[in-house]
Amino acid sequence: MKKEYLFLFAVVLLVASSCGCKSEGSKELSEKIALTTTALYETDPVSQIKDEDAADDPAIWIHPDSVELSRIIGTDKKGGLAVYDMRGTQLFYYPLGNLNNVDVRYDFPLNGDTIDIVAASNRSTHSITVCKMNIDGSIDILAEDEIVSSMKDEVYGFCLYKSPVSGKFYAFMNSKSGEVEQWELFATADSKIRANLIRSFSVNTQVEGMVADEENHVVFLGEEIKGIIKFDAEPTASTALTIIANSSKAENKNIEYDIEGLAIYYLNDGEGYLLASSQGNYSYAIFNRKAPHEYIGSFRVVDGVIDGIEETDGIEIYSYYINEDFQHGIFVAQDGFNTDDEVGLPQNFKYVPWENIAVLFSDTLTIN
């Protein structure tokens, strides 16, 4: 190889190693995380080919009359939205486009009534898709293609927020380049949902996962390299950003690129835990929910009755009793490498009882 090509090759390697480029997960790195647990159930695989990066982000809808009939909602970023029961059986599938992140909120006012809504960022239409959750777990579309983002880059992360100050509902959405938008959702006379763009700003770096903590008026935003960013969720507030200490590889030996999904386990009086998926070592980092958000520890989900979880994108938590399987809550995570008897399958979502996690940190974590 000529000297000039050797030099160019060396420069490319140096840039790749120092630029913070997206990395694949590592089994070797994961084994450094000592605390492990197992999942109890898994969903049916998404309807894509085995090696397709398709399943992405889960949400949890709690049935208003019978918590046992609650549903897990999962995005297929190559095709739509799936609805699963509490043992992982797919009940419904909606080919709504390449939906990336999804969230749920309750009691949205719609022309004299209240409904539960499920909404997601839609890469196919560069918009927010909003649906009504029906009592049987099926959905009806209330806004498709109408809430179009002004962001220049591809829409990506997403979460909902109901303001405890005004009672209004908001959607936060970000792009791959770090743009962030806040939309106010409202009902129309024809029982649809539309939105007004309230504010927008940029964190100038790649982000994705978001979760809103309504009681504490904040949104947490996963920045893939720097860590977890926090900002005020109220629309008239400052967009000043705070980076949570020990939430990046640079500060925390138990975190590997990339920080992806975020979720909260809620306790009373603003207490609880913020969880983040650390893709590079197949693990999940736990922080205190309240500032200054001290790092508590990390764990993995390994093979048990069903296979373990690797390279997780989205996660979600429900913090209270569901049934005898999930007596203190449920942790749901996307699995990047789904297998059955070591045979590769399309991606899916795994269900972990919260008590399986809490027992790993029995001196620290509290359960409902």
Side-chain angles (χ1 to χ4, degrees), residues 10-219:
V11 170
V12 170
L13 284 179
L14 178 61
V15 171
S17 65
S18 62
C19 71
C21 298
K22 184 176 177 66
S23 61
E24 294 183 354
S26 164
K27 182 179 180 181
E28 182 179 358
L29 290 173
S30 75
E31 291 172 348
K32 295 179 181 179
I33 305 297
L35 297 178
T36 64
T37 188
T38 57
L40 182 60
Y41 297 117
E42 62 182 334
T43 67
D44 294 329
V46 296
S47 301
Q48 307 296 342
I49 62 174
K50 175 174 68 70
D51 297 322
E52 190 82 73
D53 182 20
D56 195 277
D57 187 50
I60 302 170
W61 174 72
I62 301 301
H63 194 282
D65 302 320
S66 179
V67 70
E68 294 85 357
L69 297 177
S70 300
R71 301 293 182 239
I72 306 299
I73 304 158
T75 60
D76 172 2
K77 61 189 175 190
K78 302 294 182 181
L81 197 67
V83 180
Y84 308 96
D85 69 15
M86 294 309 300
R87 291 197 172 188
T89 300
Q90 182 176 298
L91 304 176
F92 305 100
Y93 185 85
Y94 301 92
L96 298 173
N98 298 342
L99 302 187
N100 198 69
N101 281 190
V102 63
D103 206 358
V104 168
R105 282 299 181 276
Y106 303 91
D107 299 324
F108 184 91
L110 187 72
N111 298 334
D113 198 2
T114 59
I115 62 169
D116 299 338
I117 60 172
V118 53
S121 52
N122 193 324
R123 290 182 176 182
S124 296
T125 56
H126 201 63
S127 69
I128 300 171
T129 296
V130 185
C131 305
K132 173 189 175 184
M133 204 75 193
N134 296 317
I135 197 71
D136 63 352
S138 65
I139 65 174
D140 295 327
I141 301 171
L142 298 178
E144 186 180 22
D145 306 344
E146 292 88 0
I147 308 173
V148 178
S149 173
S150 299
M151 295 185 291
K152 295 180 181 179
D153 208 345
E154 184 177 30
V155 300
Y156 211 35
F158 180 85
C159 72
L160 292 170
Y161 171 70
K162 182 181 179 181
S163 169
V165 177
S166 66
K168 294 180 178 180
F169 288 74
Y170 297 93
F172 287 91
M173 187 160 59
N174 64 53
S175 75
K176 283 192 173 184
S177 61
E179 303 159 283
V180 179
E181 293 181 336
Q182 181 174 5
W183 295 78
E184 181 186 338
L185 303 177
F186 61 90
T188 64
D190 59 349
S191 295
K192 299 294 185 181
I193 293 179
R194 300 292 182 265
N196 289 326
L197 182 62
I198 301 299
R199 62 173 176 166
S200 58
F201 56 94
S202 179
V203 299
N204 298 312
T205 184
Q206 185 160 333
V207 294
E208 183 175 8
M210 287 198 290
V211 65
D213 182 344
E214 291 167 355
E215 188 174 2
N216 293 320
H217 303 189
V218 297
V219 171

Side-chain angles (χ1 to χ4, degrees), residues 107-347:
D107 299 324
F108 184 91
L110 187 72
N111 298 334
D113 198 2
T114 59
I115 62 169
D116 299 338
I117 60 172
V118 53
S121 52
N122 193 324
R123 290 182 176 182
S124 296
T125 56
H126 201 63
S127 69
I128 300 171
T129 296
V130 185
C131 305
K132 173 189 175 184
M133 204 75 193
N134 296 317
I135 197 71
D136 63 352
S138 65
I139 65 174
D140 295 327
I141 301 171
L142 298 178
E144 186 180 22
D145 306 344
E146 292 88 0
I147 308 173
V148 178
S149 173
S150 299
M151 295 185 291
K152 295 180 181 179
D153 208 345
E154 184 177 30
V155 300
Y156 211 35
F158 180 85
C159 72
L160 292 170
Y161 171 70
K162 182 181 179 181
S163 169
V165 177
S166 66
K168 294 180 178 180
F169 288 74
Y170 297 93
F172 287 91
M173 187 160 59
N174 64 53
S175 75
K176 283 192 173 184
S177 61
E179 303 159 283
V180 179
E181 293 181 336
Q182 181 174 5
W183 295 78
E184 181 186 338
L185 303 177
F186 61 90
T188 64
D190 59 349
S191 295
K192 299 294 185 181
I193 293 179
R194 300 292 182 265
N196 289 326
L197 182 62
I198 301 299
R199 62 173 176 166
S200 58
F201 56 94
S202 179
V203 299
N204 298 312
T205 184
Q206 185 160 333
V207 294
E208 183 175 8
M210 287 198 290
V211 65
D213 182 344
E214 291 167 355
E215 188 174 2
N216 293 320
H217 303 189
V218 297
V219 171
F220 297 100
L221 173 62
E223 198 282 331
E224 295 194 344
I225 305 301
K226 294 181 180 178
I228 303 171
I229 296 171
K230 180 178 75 170
F231 63 91
D232 197 307
E234 286 300 312
T236 57
S238 165
T239 57
L241 306 175
T242 301
I243 297 180
I244 293 177
N246 294 310
S247 66
S248 71
K249 177 179 178 179
E251 294 182 304
N252 190 330
K253 66 179 182 180
N254 292 328
I255 290 177
E256 293 287 339
Y257 303 139
D258 303 323
I259 289 290
E260 289 284 343
L262 299 172
I264 297 172
Y265 186 86
Y266 293 95
L267 296 172
N268 292 333
D269 302 319
E271 301 287 349
Y273 312 104
L274 172 68
L275 273 70
S277 61
S278 170
Q279 260 192 349
N281 58 1
Y282 309 161
S283 71
Y284 309 94
I286 306 177
F287 301 84
N288 275 320
R289 177 185 170 200
K290 273 189 172 181
H293 312 293
E294 298 90 348
Y295 171 70
I296 294 171
S298 295
F299 69 95
R300 293 183 291 132
V301 180
V302 298
D303 293 347
V305 177
I306 58 175
D307 62 302
I309 312 176
E310 300 83 24
E311 277 197 15
T312 293
D313 282 317
I315 60 176
E316 186 57 288
I317 298 170
Y318 179 68
S319 311
Y320 305 96
Y321 179 93
I322 293 179
N323 55 32
E324 288 302 302
D325 290 328
F326 306 105
Q327 298 185 42
H328 300 280
I330 182 174
F331 172 76
V332 182
Q334 180 261 4
D335 184 9
F337 297 114
N338 181 34
T339 61
D340 185 4
D341 290 331
E342 300 185 355
V343 176
L345 298 171
Q347 295 176 339

